[in-house]
Amino acid sequence: MPTKTDLIYSRLSKQKDLDSYRKKVHKLRMLLAGDISGLNYGRPQKAEGDEVLKPSLDRKGFFDVNVTDIEEGRSNRLLQAVKAILFQVSHNYPDISLEDCDQTIATLTKAYLQVRLGPSPRGCNATDHMKRSLGEALVGSMGWSNVGFNALGYPVVTSVDALDVSWDQQCRVAQEARWASVRVRRPYHEWKEIYKGSRVFDEIVGKLGDEGYDKVIEVEEYCDVEGELGTRACFVSVDGAVHEKPIEVTENPFFYEVDGYKQPFLPLDPITFLHIPSVRYALSETEMMLPSQIAIWGAERAIRDTVAAGVPFWD
């Protein structure tokens, strides 16, 4: 009978359901940056040797959008609209409330968290990360915030890239997911310190030595709310795929405690705007504005072609 570790590995190694979503988000980001090659419409970027990075289907290549030229006279109302929305939205400080505990403990804990979630250098700039997650939702339909701990063990709220997140595909909406996972990138020396003494980590990654001290290593951090306390597991990602042997498997450390009972929750929290019944993923503001933007591009291109060709005075 498969173990819980086998089930987790199976979930993380079979993510084809998310491939189409990630490709869509990648193309929408390219459009917002000014590269329309993903639409097969108009004139794409000029291909000049190896300077232009072609969109890659590998998750690693999703972060290599490099716009090198813009078609003269072509507007970008999509970018203007997203920018206007982000600058007009007011982001409140994260609300902190504690129940079922001593008033003195609640007051001290709340004061501590206000500092930790506040501005740097003492805080983690939670409002800035929340704004970044909103920006991702405006473009690709989903933005994700992560509740966790930094390398020193302090609580933080951070935004994570939507392309790095995997979640339960059997749920109707992401808010109902039973499990979620995020791919985290850190230098080798930081992971080495976190997993000090871990034979599995050393076995998979190997001893990189001084030359690999700053090499970026990817680790998949998984959490679920199944069972009484849920499960947390971490896997090293090798060449874009998770290794079958986990670095560690523990109980889910994220939970609410009410009347002595622990209720686990997922540290990854999604932001979405519009879910249409039977449509697999939420729709974004950028998708909604895209047809109008394409119509504008068509009109602008017709005007440019006419001006460039010239019109006889008798017409």
Side-chain angles (χ1 to χ4, degrees):
M1 181 180 235
T3 63
K4 185 59 183 286
T5 302
D6 295 332
L7 175 62
I8 296 173
Y9 173 72
S10 176
R11 288 172 172 174
L12 297 181
S13 59
K14 299 175 182 178
Q15 301 184 20
K16 290 185 178 180
D17 291 340
L18 286 168
D19 285 350
S20 60
Y21 165 76
R22 288 175 176 143
K23 292 172 186 175
K24 181 191 77 171
V25 173
H26 181 64
K27 287 185 177 181
L28 288 171
R29 292 180 179 182
M30 291 171 63
L31 286 171
L32 208 68
D35 182 355
I36 62 174
S37 58
L39 280 178
N40 294 321
Y41 171 87
R43 181 175 64 83
Q45 294 193 78
K46 296 177 182 178
E48 299 176 356
D50 296 329
E51 294 183 6
V52 177
L53 299 176
K54 297 181 180 179
S56 171
L57 298 183
D58 189 323
R59 279 176 78 179
K60 205 169 186 180
F62 280 144
F63 305 96
D64 289 334
V65 177
N66 184 25
V67 180
T68 57
D69 77 299
I70 302 295
E71 188 173 359
E72 184 179 356
R74 175 160 56 83
S75 65
N76 193 338
R77 305 291 177 84
L78 294 175
L79 181 60
Q80 293 172 5
V82 170
K83 177 183 175 183
I85 294 173
L86 279 178
F87 275 81
Q88 290 176 12
V89 172
S90 175
H91 291 268
N92 295 324
Y93 188 82
D95 186 29
I96 302 170
S97 61
L98 298 172
E99 300 177 358
D100 299 328
C101 64
D102 182 78
Q103 185 62 37
T104 303
I105 296 176
T107 302
L108 292 174
T109 303
K110 185 174 181 178
Y112 170 74
L113 290 178
Q114 285 179 336
V115 174
R116 281 300 313 145
L117 301 181
S120 61
R122 293 192 298 172
C124 65
N125 291 316
T127 53
D128 290 344
H129 286 277
M130 292 165 62
K131 189 171 185 177
R132 195 179 306 169
S133 299
L134 173 62
E136 285 209 36
L138 291 173
V139 179
S141 78
M142 296 187 73
W144 293 84
S145 297
N146 186 40
V147 178
F149 303 93
N150 63 12
L152 298 176
Y154 297 141
V156 293
V157 173
T158 58
S159 64
V160 294
D161 197 300
L163 299 180
D164 282 330
V165 180
S166 304
W167 70 95
D168 183 9
Q169 292 299 293
Q170 297 183 18
C171 60
R172 293 180 302 166
V173 294
Q175 287 82 354
E176 298 176 353
R178 298 167 301 161
W179 64 269
S181 177
V182 60
R183 185 163 293 190
V184 181
R185 297 172 180 81
R186 286 180 177 172
Y188 166 75
H189 65 88
E190 289 190 14
W191 288 124
K192 185 67 176 175
E193 185 65 25
I194 294 173
Y195 296 117
K196 184 183 297 184
S198 171
R199 295 181 181 179
V200 177
F201 181 80
D202 291 339
E203 176 186 332
I204 298 173
V205 179
K207 296 182 178 180
L208 300 181
D210 294 339
E211 69 281 357
Y213 185 77
D214 212 34
K215 180 181 178 181
V216 174
I217 304 295
E218 297 180 346
V219 172
E220 197 87 27
E221 296 184 350
Y222 166 98
C223 272
D224 67 39
V225 293
E226 298 171 327
E228 185 177 353
L229 298 174
T231 304
R232 180 178 184 271
C234 297
F235 295 77
V236 175
S237 178
V238 181
D239 296 329
V242 294
H243 194 276
E244 61 181 2
K245 188 180 294 185
I247 306 174
E248 65 177 8
V249 180
T250 62
E251 294 178 352
N252 186 348
F254 304 99
F255 58 86
Y256 299 104
E257 186 169 352
V258 181
D259 296 330
Y261 292 95
K262 295 181 180 180
Q263 179 62 47
F265 68 90
L266 297 179
L268 289 162
D269 184 37
I271 301 175
T272 57
F273 285 106
L274 178 63
H275 278 280
I276 298 177
S278 300
V279 176
R280 185 68 171 171
Y281 301 108
L283 298 180
S284 70
E285 295 293 325
T286 301
E287 289 178 88
M288 299 177 197
M289 295 185 289
L290 186 55
S292 298
Q293 177 66 86
I294 292 176
I296 293 172
W297 283 337
E300 291 173 344
R301 190 176 186 188
I303 294 172
R304 290 196 304 273
D305 291 345
T306 301
V307 172
V311 180
F313 69 91
W314 56 81
D315 289 343

